[in-house]
Amino acid sequence: METEKTGRPFPAGCSALSWDTADGRHLLGRNLDFTGLAPGTAVQYVPRGIAYETCAGSGAGARCQARYAALGTGLLLAPSLPLLYEGVNECGLMGGQLYYRNLARYAPAPRPGTAPLQPPVLLYHLLAQCATVEEAALLLSRRATLVCAPLLGQVPPLHWVLRDRSGETVVVEPDVNGLHLYRETVGVLTNSPGYPWHLQHLRCFSGLRDLDRDGPDVAGLPAPSFSGTGAQGLPGDWTSPSRFVRLAFLRRYALPGADEPSGVARMFRLLQSVAFPLGPVRLDGPAPAWDAARYTAVLCGESLRYYWTTYENQRIRFVDLPSLLPRSEPLQFALEHPPEFRACAADAAPAKWHAVQDDERLHP
């Protein structure tokens, strides 16, 4: 297996989380934490029926026709090369690509009987050809080989998360020992190290709980108890292991929304807890640069909606895939928008005094 060949390091960090609503909606969300977005990045609708290549510029790439329409953020590099960083297709299959720095390895050539597949093309290819996680697993194991073929001069180190309406979340990781598909995961993915390492590291935090604990006596004096003591010791930095632990803890104890609107809103709140703020994650180099959460996306496998916010604009926007299915040409929607602030003066109502009952508690 060959290592990635790149013209620059890939220090980016990303986080992904799967979650369910109380009424059974299946959600997948992610932060894209990076120094910036490639020119042309937008929310893309790619219709079914278009022709595309799985390994552009190599002369050996397979020519395919999309069976399913897909919606997500990415690039349209050419009519035959749509790329998605994450997305959902018309069957409810969802997925996202995250950086897998220093550990990603790809084959020098495709296995006999399989088509070469460039890493940045993998996610769109699965969404265009597969209806379920099971179909995606079969395609990767039997019909395609991830190859170390540069695209725009780079071979980015990647791993992937997939989910469908069955609720299963799958992690796909290429390393020196081949391509691994981890089934029935804990529903969280960040960056390097590999997924098995994160599971072992997670065991170090088995004592974390949602219930506050009374403080023990210290030197014979009672120690005061504070809110959040059940989660005392939860790591708070932005490294990949710490983000993995935080999301796993939140996935276990955070209360899900009753339906899609409340579930999506609460999921954005969870992803904010691991998003890179602009400034503290500074990169070493000749020019100032910082990784930050350029955008956060949440996808629903049932409604087929793609929701997103950006760093500067926290208003939740969405595009509805079913409404686009009659369209036979690709469409783009602007990803970034200026900050928006809503003035609520027009909503003001005359104040009403509240009568306090004898047994009523006042909260700060």
Side-chain angles (χ1 to χ4, degrees):
M1 305 290 285
E2 293 190 7
T3 186
E4 64 270 9
K5 299 173 182 176
T6 62
R8 60 176 294 277
F10 288 90
C14 301
S15 305
L17 172 68
S18 65
W19 213 22
D20 296 335
T21 62
D23 64 351
R25 297 271 168 149
H26 299 99
L27 306 177
L28 180 68
R30 67 89 53 84
N31 293 330
L32 190 142
D33 302 284
F34 200 42
T35 53
L37 297 173
T41 296
V43 177
Q44 313 279 357
Y45 165 69
V46 189
R48 67 173 79 99
I50 71 163
Y52 66 95
E53 296 180 69
T54 63
C55 195
S58 67
R63 189 85 170 172
C64 298
Q65 188 173 43
R67 298 174 61 194
Y68 305 114
L71 174 69
T73 292
L75 290 168
L76 297 180
L77 293 183
S80 62
L81 194 60
L83 304 178
L84 293 180
Y85 311 147
E86 75 287 317
V88 58
N89 73 8
E90 61 184 282
C91 303
L93 179 63
M94 302 172 283
Q97 67 180 33
L98 287 76
Y99 278 98
Y100 193 36
R101 188 182 182 188
N102 298 327
L103 295 179
R105 299 291 185 273
Y106 309 116
R111 305 187 313 274
T114 66
L117 181 59
Q118 284 169 308
V121 183
L122 180 144
L123 181 62
Y124 173 70
H125 184 48
L126 295 182
L127 295 179
Q129 299 298 326
C130 303
T132 64
V133 160
E134 193 64 41
E135 289 185 12
L138 289 174
L139 185 152
L140 290 173
S141 61
R142 299 180 183 180
R143 304 203 304 271
T145 301
L146 275 174
V147 294
C148 193
L151 182 63
L152 300 179
Q154 299 178 339
V155 185
L158 301 173
H159 59 176
W160 297 265
V161 59
L162 302 169
R163 196 174 204 221
D164 63 17
R165 291 171 179 169
S166 73
E168 184 183 12
T169 305
V170 174
V171 170
V172 180
E173 289 187 338
D175 62 25
V176 69
N177 295 314
L179 187 69
H180 307 278
L181 278 76
Y182 299 106
R183 307 290 298 261
E184 299 181 4
T185 67
V186 297
V188 173
L189 185 63
T190 54
N191 310 108
S192 304
Y195 178 74
W197 185 97
H198 283 293
L199 289 186
Q200 292 299 319
H201 182 242
L202 197 58
R203 297 176 186 272
C204 298
F205 301 89
S206 59
L208 296 178
R209 297 290 186 273
D210 58 336
L211 183 65
D212 283 348
R213 299 183 174 96
D214 290 333
D217 289 348
V218 178
L221 299 175
S225 179
F226 300 99
S227 296
T229 53
Q232 201 163 27
L234 190 68
D237 59 69
W238 291 287
T239 62
S240 175
S242 295
R243 287 182 281 117
F244 192 101
V245 172
R246 281 210 302 287
L247 281 181
F249 177 83
L250 291 171
R251 191 179 189 271
R252 170 67 178 82
Y253 291 112
L255 298 182
D259 51 18
E260 184 174 334
S262 60
V264 168
R266 294 185 183 192
M267 194 166 189
F268 274 103
R269 177 69 70 177
L270 300 192
L271 289 166
Q272 285 176 359
S273 72
V274 293
F276 288 18
L278 184 59
V281 188
R282 183 167 60 92
L283 307 181
D284 187 20
W290 297 266
D291 277 345
R294 302 301 168 178
Y295 69 85
T296 299
V298 174
L299 303 78
C300 179
E302 282 73 30
S303 69
L304 309 183
R305 285 184 172 182
Y306 180 91
Y307 300 87
W308 79 95
T309 63
T310 61
Y311 192 90
E312 297 287 353
N313 191 328
Q314 291 296 300
R315 180 178 183 178
I316 299 175
R317 304 172 187 274
F318 74 88
V319 175
D320 183 71
L321 177 56
S323 68
L324 302 177
L325 292 177
R327 307 291 293 265
S328 59
E329 72 282 356
L331 297 174
Q332 292 184 324
F333 303 85
L335 178 70
E336 300 192 75
H337 297 265
E340 297 177 65
F341 304 93
R342 179 183 174 184
C344 292
D347 299 338
K352 297 180 180 179
W353 294 102
H354 177 70
V356 179
Q357 305 299 318
D358 291 341
D359 58 348
E360 186 172 358
R361 297 180 61 190
L362 296 180
H363 298 276

